[in-house]
Amino acid sequence: MLPLDIFLSAMANGLMMGAVYALVALGLTLVYGVLHIINFAHGATLTAAMYAVYVAHAMLGVDPYLALPGLAAIFFALGYLVQRWVIGPASHGDDSNILLVTLGLSIIMENALLAGFRSDTRSIDVPYGFSVVEVGNLFLSTPKLVAFAGSFVVAALLWLLLARTDTGRAIRAVAKEKTGAALVGVRVEHIYAVTFGLGAACLAVAACLLMPTFLVNPRIGNAFVLVAFTIVVLGGMGSIPGALIGGLFVGVVESLSGLYLGESLGQIGIFLIFILVLLARPTGLFGARA
Amino acid sequence: MLEVRDLVAGYGGVPVLRGVSLDVTAGEVVAVLGANGVGKTTLNRCLSGLIRPGAGSIRFEGVELVGQDAADIVAAGLIHVPEGRRIFPNMSVLENLELGSYRRARPRRAANLARVFSIFPRLAERKRQFAGTLSGGEQQMLAIGRGLMAEPRLLIMDEPSLGLSPLLVEEMFTLIARIAAEGLAVMLVEQNVVQSLDLAGRAYVLENGAVAMSGPAEALRRDPTLMTTYLGL
């Protein structure tokens, strides 16, 4: 057995990474829950957001945390516009078309980023990149702690929006009863676009929280989205608590399997558990029973 | 208040409405009767902007509604309580009602909520419950309550008695009569001929996508051809 301290620090690292996974999964599950489509452009959007953080820092000298509110707003607006004037009109109300349109968008975005930034892996250098906080015997990376806390704040804000505002109620109404929503005067296309924008904004926040300790290349988003898909299925498609708890769980599993099986096999644990969940409880931990 | 002229509509080239004209004036209850498949629901979907008619006009308080979207029509005060209720099953009764005032009458949400709860005390008892767990009759009350939350100028009710037990049908018509007695214009679209004619001042009978008979409810009730026309014999 490994010493307890190492185990605990792996747990803590897993939880911190898991919170960011949760944030990525949150955007995915929200869009799935309301529009009933898998957004294949989710990964490319995350990559684009990470490059946006990179450009803001490297060229404009803006700290990632300071860039967060602005980038979240910009990505919300971009998500809104893309859904309202590209995905929506191009899909003609057919879900399989939406799937293809988002897939096409992801290919365009990835290749545009590849053309613009080359395939080099890049990172940013912030003064607090390696600073740590001492908790008991554990040394926790400060930017990762910020990412952990930041993810929870975003999840809480999202929950407040959905539970307490009329826009949030309209989002939940459209998710289950489109015609009923239209008949109380909800503009369904607008709500779709708002939801898509929220999904993109989640990614912008995730990118700002990730970049101080992470790197970016034109395909980086896919690594996250594969994990996020697992989390969404694990937690139950469309479930927000499911995404949050699933994200933390997957982060811990990945970190612990990395500890016991070796770093390169870290993700094996995730997929083992994923297969077990699919066999035992296909609707996910928080999914509605069929 | 509502003037429908020569309305033609259908789905994918199949005509359902073949030139329907009807009127509802302020404060009256008008029944639109007809068997299954004569176009009653299509008529309602045109009126509330869910589908666009092929031809004809719908004027509501002097404004043309054809071409406006559903949200604008709600804002104008034409509120449609749809067939099949279309409540939000994943949300509480209270939230369903609150969303009723999403587009219209939002500043008076609290007062209207109190009014709806006084008309339907059962909804007040169940306000924290998920709407999907309500019985059929309660869901119908919720759908009507949600419509009232928008302070309708004209309320269209599509088959409010559908799928309810005879006792509940009786109760539902009593409640609708009570709402109408407050001076609200109601267009009641029903298969339930006898009870609808008791409630309405005037009625239209649709057959095969067109108005087959119309007139005061009193006269239609005594008309021996109503049943044969209505049953399509």
Side-chain angles (χ1 to χ4, degrees):
Chain A
M1 276 300 282
L2 289 162
L4 186 64
D5 280 358
I6 296 181
F7 175 79
L8 285 179
S9 96
M11 281 282 288
N13 268 314
L15 284 174
M16 291 188 295
M17 196 63 202
V20 179
Y21 284 156
L23 201 49
V24 177
L26 221 51
L28 199 61
T29 210
L30 186 66
V31 169
Y32 177 81
V34 178
L35 283 86
H36 311 291
I37 53 141
I38 300 289
N39 173 15
F40 276 117
H42 206 62
T45 310
L46 177 61
T47 314
M50 289 170 82
Y51 273 110
V53 177
Y54 171 81
V55 168
H57 183 267
M59 297 183 183
L60 310 172
V62 182
D63 183 85
Y65 297 150
L66 289 179
L68 193 151
L71 279 180
I74 290 171
F75 271 77
F76 175 83
L78 287 175
Y80 185 98
L81 295 174
V82 164
Q83 165 61 33
R84 187 95 196 235
W85 281 286
V86 180
I87 301 176
S91 65
H92 301 287
D94 185 348
D95 288 355
S96 58
N97 290 344
I98 306 182
L99 226 65
L100 289 176
V101 174
T102 62
L103 190 63
L105 278 175
S106 80
I107 293 169
I108 294 169
M109 285 163 74
E110 267 178 26
N111 285 287
L113 291 169
L114 187 62
F117 293 93
R118 310 282 162 222
S119 60
D120 305 338
T121 289
R122 294 159 197 264
S123 59
I124 58 172
D125 208 1
V126 285
Y128 48 82
F130 291 100
S131 72
V132 290
V133 179
E134 206 179 329
V135 181
N137 291 331
L138 301 179
F139 293 92
L140 302 177
S141 151
T142 313
K144 284 189 178 174
L145 265 183
V146 171
F148 182 75
S151 302
F152 272 90
V153 170
V154 170
L157 287 176
L158 203 57
W159 181 83
L160 273 178
L161 173 83
L162 289 174
R164 296 289 159 83
T165 68
D166 263 13
T167 302
R169 291 187 190 105
I171 289 174
R172 286 183 292 142
V174 167
K176 281 284 190 291
E177 182 46 72
K178 234 165 42 175
T179 308
L183 289 177
V184 299
V186 173
R187 289 185 207 276
V188 175
E189 293 311 317
H190 167 73
I191 291 298
Y192 276 174
V194 166
T195 308
F196 214 82
L198 287 174
C202 282
L203 293 176
V205 175
C208 292
L209 296 175
L210 271 173
M211 276 311 280
T213 57
F214 223 76
L215 45 87
V216 55
N217 64 49
R219 298 190 54 78
I220 191 79
N222 294 319
F224 281 92
V225 168
L226 189 62
V227 176
F229 271 128
T230 315
I231 293 165
V232 168
V233 176
L234 197 66
M237 308 283 275
S239 160
I240 284 176
L244 206 56
I245 292 168
L248 295 176
F249 180 69
V250 160
V252 169
V253 167
E254 183 188 41
S255 174
L256 292 185
S257 6
L259 180 65
Y260 288 106
L261 306 172
E263 196 67 56
S264 59
L265 291 177
Q267 293 205 332
I268 262 192
I270 301 177
F271 294 107
L272 275 177
I273 287 175
F274 183 52
I275 291 167
L276 287 178
V277 168
L278 282 185
L279 288 173
R281 208 182 142 76
T283 54
L285 301 174
F286 292 82
R289 285 160 197 86
Chain B
M1 170 175 251
L2 180 73
E3 298 155 28
V4 178
R5 291 291 171 270
D6 307 317
L7 199 66
V8 176
Y11 302 95
V14 180
V16 177
L17 298 181
R18 308 158 191 268
V20 172
S21 299
L22 54 83
D23 294 88
V24 181
T25 57
E28 73 170 338
V29 178
V30 171
V32 176
L33 308 170
N36 253 333
V38 297
K40 302 192 302 293
T41 295
T42 304
L43 170 65
N44 286 341
R45 293 172 65 86
C46 287
L47 294 179
S48 52
L50 293 177
I51 57 170
R52 192 167 288 220
S57 92
I58 302 167
R59 293 180 76 78
F60 181 62
E61 302 199 300
V63 179
E64 180 61 52
L65 293 189
V66 172
Q68 294 203 41
D69 67 19
D72 296 323
I73 292 172
V74 170
L78 193 161
I79 308 295
H80 176 184
V81 178
E83 181 186 6
R85 295 136 197 168
R86 303 283 185 180
I87 53 159
F88 311 120
N90 55 328
M91 300 170 74
S92 72
V93 167
L94 184 62
E95 286 182 312
N96 267 270
L97 292 173
E98 284 171 340
L99 269 178
S101 53
Y102 178 85
R103 180 67 57 192
R104 201 178 139 82
R106 198 183 303 203
R108 292 175 300 284
R109 180 174 279 179
N112 286 328
L113 205 53
R115 178 167 162 254
V116 168
F117 283 150
S118 80
I119 300 171
F120 304 108
R122 204 103 52 95
L123 295 182
E125 288 165 27
R126 305 196 185 279
K127 67 179 176 185
R128 302 274 164 219
Q129 211 168 310
F130 278 116
T133 66
L134 298 180
S135 72
E138 289 163 349
Q139 291 193 7
Q140 187 60 53
M141 291 175 192
L142 179 57
I144 296 172
R146 185 179 68 182
L148 292 176
M149 287 297 292
E151 297 182 355
R153 317 239 333 124
L154 169 64
L155 190 66
I156 298 179
M157 289 196 236
D158 195 348
E159 307 268 11
S161 72
L162 193 72
L164 302 183
S165 69
L167 210 64
L168 268 172
V169 171
E170 201 68 47
E171 188 184 341
M172 202 57 69
F173 275 99
T174 309
L175 283 167
I176 295 168
R178 184 178 156 193
I179 296 164
E182 292 174 19
L184 175 64
V186 174
M187 185 173 131
L188 182 62
V189 180
E190 263 290 349
Q191 292 193 49
N192 215 318
V193 180
V194 178
Q195 271 145 319
S196 301
L197 287 178
D198 282 344
L199 196 65
R202 288 188 307 117
Y204 294 86
V205 180
L206 290 189
E207 195 186 37
N208 199 17
V211 175
M213 296 174 77
S214 65
E218 191 73 11
L220 282 171
R221 213 177 322 164
R222 285 194 304 259
D223 192 322
T225 62
L226 171 65
M227 275 303 160
T228 52
T229 308
Y230 172 67
L231 292 171
L233 295 171

